[in-house]
Amino acid sequence: MVRAAVPSDLVPAGPQPAAPRHVAIIMDGNGRWATSRSLPRTAGHERGVEALRRTVEAAGDLGIEYLTVFSFSTENWRRPASEVNMLFGLLKAYVQRDLARLKNEGVRIRVIGVRDGLPPDVAELVQKSEAETRENHKFNLTIAFNYGARDEILRAAQAYARDVKAGVRDEQITEAGFQEYLDTHGIPDPDLLIRTSGEFRISNFLLWQAAYSELLFFDVLWPDFGKAHLEEALRRYAERERRYGAVAPGAG
Ligand code: IPE
Ligand code: IPE
Ligand code: MG
């Protein structure tokens, strides 16, 4: 007799709408964009911020509710200090320049990843951007900064264990209960995960949340990404059939 494991309590059972509610993007290829033009890598990161602005606007126009972007990984600390500092500076400049506009446009900003170790001025700005947009519901922009999925899962496990020990949580650990401890609590799982730059890997992004995401890989380098690519992504998504482990409707 085959024993049935408990199916995931987070995986939807019914058919999914043709348009994704939540799109996640690994914004990759800034360095190569710059190098191919004999420019310093930093120039690619600057142009990458422009692509981010375009993409946030396009996502809103196209009816996407949640956009999550990977902008600095826990492994990106392995890069030269000058590049790391520049990336921190760019995040700061982006929030400083765009916060008021995003706030007025109804965008809720969240930043996921480890806060410890961020320079105090960056941490303060991150906190401010979240606090000032907390009541917004029109569009959700989540920036994964100093983020690694394994680190996120480990921090969640540690927090869960602490709460069980303190008697706050039941010892019965469920998927839905565990999910509340992730940085992404309150955000639906991504329907579509895009990576630019032609690399076919996840690089420690949303490992828990992307369990059933549709994956799309674009050859375009991130600084060249724009609305047309996002529209193409939505077209390709609409052709996918999400089965969540079940049999396709109408199949033999
Ligand atoms: C993505 O571009 C930005 C970050 C990872 C911070 P890269 O800097 O990784 O660009 P490539 O992959 O080297 O071209
Ligand atoms: C992934 O890109 C991280 C971000 C886009 C922030 P990387 O360029 O760091 O990934 P690898 O090193 O090619 O796997
Ligand atoms: Mg890269």
Side-chain angles (χ1 to χ4, degrees):
M1 164 88 182
V2 178
R3 192 181 69 86
V6 182
S8 170
D9 50 2
L10 295 175
V11 172
Q16 293 298 293
R21 260 186 101 193
H22 182 178
V23 175
I25 308 183
I26 300 173
M27 310 185 290
D28 194 24
N30 295 350
R32 278 164 282 171
W33 184 94
T35 306
S36 70
R37 287 165 177 77
S38 308
L39 295 168
R41 289 175 58 84
T42 48
H45 296 314
E46 275 164 5
R47 293 296 286 261
V49 177
E50 293 306 316
L52 173 62
R53 282 200 180 94
R54 283 198 297 276
T55 306
V56 171
E57 196 184 325
D61 290 349
L62 294 170
I64 293 162
E65 289 174 59
Y66 294 84
L67 178 72
T68 300
V69 292
F70 202 4
S71 88
F72 187 86
S73 79
T74 44
E75 286 70 46
N76 288 148
W77 286 100
R78 293 175 178 155
R79 297 186 180 200
S82 56
E83 185 170 337
V84 171
N85 287 336
M86 197 264 173
L87 289 165
F88 279 83
L90 273 185
L91 173 77
K92 214 177 128 182
Y94 173 71
V95 175
Q96 276 170 337
R97 203 178 128 187
D98 287 38
L99 178 58
R101 185 177 51 80
L102 293 169
K103 187 179 168 183
N104 286 336
E105 289 172 359
V107 177
R108 176 167 181 183
I109 301 173
R110 293 178 179 88
V111 180
I112 57 171
V114 221
R115 296 284 163 92
D116 296 350
L118 288 187
D121 55 340
V122 175
E124 203 176 296
L125 213 67
V126 160
Q127 162 76 21
K128 181 176 154 175
S129 68
E130 290 187 326
E132 289 198 6
T133 62
R134 201 176 294 281
E135 303 304 323
N136 282 348
H137 299 292
K138 208 165 155 208
F139 185 79
N140 295 273
L141 172 63
T142 302
I143 303 171
F145 194 87
N146 203 17
Y147 173 88
R150 286 186 171 180
D151 170 77
E152 177 194 31
I153 292 167
L154 195 62
R155 283 186 285 110
Q158 287 164 343
Y160 207 135
R162 269 197 303 275
D163 280 359
V164 169
K165 217 170 169 185
V168 180
R169 285 300 299 206
D170 200 278
E171 277 177 38
Q172 181 73 40
I173 298 175
T174 62
E175 290 186 12
F178 183 73
Q179 184 168 260
E180 286 172 34
Y181 288 80
L182 294 172
D183 294 350
T184 51
H185 60 91
I187 301 173
D189 286 344
D191 301 295
L192 174 61
L193 174 58
I194 297 171
R195 181 172 188 146
T196 59
S197 90
E199 307 290 358
F200 298 103
R201 54 177 173 263
I202 302 295
S203 301
N204 203 13
F205 190 42
L206 303 178
L207 295 180
W208 170 281
Q209 298 85 342
Y212 270 101
S213 301
E214 294 296 326
L215 307 181
L216 274 182
F217 298 94
F218 278 76
D219 255 333
V220 64
L221 300 172
W222 176 250
D224 292 326
F225 194 86
K227 188 171 188 179
H229 298 100
L230 197 56
E231 285 172 331
E232 186 192 332
L234 298 198
R235 275 195 297 279
R236 287 166 64 185
Y237 174 85
E239 289 165 4
R240 300 280 177 93
E241 185 181 43
R242 304 184 72 184
R243 290 194 286 274
Y244 301 104
V247 176

Coordinates of all heavy atoms in Angstrom, one line a residue, residues 27-32 41 45 71 76 79 83 87, ligand 1:
M27 N 17.5 40.3 -11.6 CA 18.0 41.4 -12.6 C 19.5 41.2 -12.8 O 20.3 41.7 -12.1 CB 17.8 42.8 -11.9 CG 16.3 43.0 -11.4 SD 16.1 44.7 -10.8 CE 17.1 44.7 -9.3
D28 N 19.8 40.4 -13.8 CA 21.2 40.0 -14.0 C 21.8 40.5 -15.3 O 21.1 40.7 -16.3 CB 21.4 38.5 -13.9 CG 22.8 38.0 -13.7 OD1 23.6 38.9 -13.2 OD2 23.1 36.9 -14.1
G29 N 23.1 40.8 -15.3 CA 23.8 41.2 -16.6 C 24.3 42.6 -16.6 O 24.7 43.0 -17.7
N30 N 24.2 43.3 -15.5 CA 24.7 44.7 -15.5 C 26.2 44.8 -15.9 O 26.6 45.7 -16.7 CB 24.5 45.4 -14.2 CG 23.1 45.5 -13.8 OD1 22.2 45.3 -14.6 ND2 22.8 45.8 -12.5
G31 N 27.0 43.9 -15.3 CA 28.4 44.0 -15.5 C 28.7 43.7 -17.0 O 29.5 44.4 -17.6
R32 N 28.1 42.7 -17.5 CA 28.4 42.3 -18.9 C 28.0 43.4 -19.9 O 28.6 43.7 -20.9 CB 27.8 41.0 -19.3 CG 28.6 39.8 -18.9 CD 27.8 38.5 -18.9 NE 26.9 38.5 -17.7 CZ 26.0 37.5 -17.5 NH1 25.8 36.6 -18.4 NH2 25.3 37.5 -16.4
R41 N 32.0 48.4 -14.7 CA 30.8 47.6 -14.3 C 29.8 48.5 -13.6 O 28.6 48.3 -13.7 CB 31.2 46.5 -13.3 CG 32.0 45.4 -14.0 CD 32.4 44.3 -13.0 NE 31.3 43.8 -12.2 CZ 30.5 42.8 -12.6 NH1 30.8 42.2 -13.8 NH2 29.5 42.4 -11.9
H45 N 25.5 49.0 -13.5 CA 24.5 49.1 -12.4 C 23.7 50.3 -12.4 O 22.5 50.3 -12.1 CB 25.3 49.0 -11.1 CG 26.1 47.7 -10.9 ND1 25.5 46.5 -11.1 CD2 27.3 47.4 -10.5 CE1 26.3 45.5 -10.9 NE2 27.5 46.1 -10.5
S71 N 18.2 42.4 -6.0 CA 19.1 43.5 -6.3 C 20.5 43.3 -5.6 O 21.5 43.9 -6.1 CB 18.5 44.9 -6.1 OG 18.7 45.3 -4.8
N76 N 26.8 38.4 -3.0 CA 27.4 39.5 -3.7 C 28.5 40.2 -2.8 O 29.2 41.0 -3.4 CB 26.4 40.4 -4.2 CG 25.6 39.9 -5.4 OD1 24.4 40.2 -5.6 ND2 26.2 39.1 -6.2
R79 N 32.1 40.3 -4.0 CA 32.7 41.2 -5.0 C 33.6 42.3 -4.4 O 33.6 42.5 -3.2 CB 31.5 41.9 -5.7 CG 30.6 40.9 -6.4 CD 29.5 41.6 -7.2 NE 28.7 40.6 -7.9 CZ 27.9 40.8 -8.9 NH1 27.8 42.0 -9.4 NH2 27.3 39.8 -9.4
E83 N 32.7 47.9 -5.6 CA 31.4 47.5 -6.3 C 30.3 47.4 -5.3 O 29.2 47.9 -5.5 CB 31.6 46.3 -7.1 CG 30.3 46.0 -7.9 CD 30.5 44.9 -9.0 OE1 31.6 44.6 -9.4 OE2 29.5 44.3 -9.4
L87 N 26.9 49.6 -5.0 CA 25.5 49.0 -5.1 C 24.7 49.5 -3.9 O 23.5 49.8 -4.0 CB 25.6 47.5 -5.1 CG 26.1 46.9 -6.4 CD1 26.5 45.5 -6.3 CD2 25.0 47.1 -7.5
Ligands
IPE1 C1 23.3 42.1 -11.6 O1 24.3 42.3 -12.6 C2 23.4 43.0 -10.4 C3 23.9 42.3 -9.2 C4 24.2 41.0 -9.1 C5 24.2 43.1 -8.1 P1 25.7 41.6 -12.4 O2 26.6 42.6 -11.7 O3 25.7 40.3 -11.8 O4 26.2 41.5 -13.9 P2 27.0 40.3 -14.6 O5 26.2 39.1 -14.3 O6 28.3 40.3 -14.0 O7 27.0 40.7 -16.1

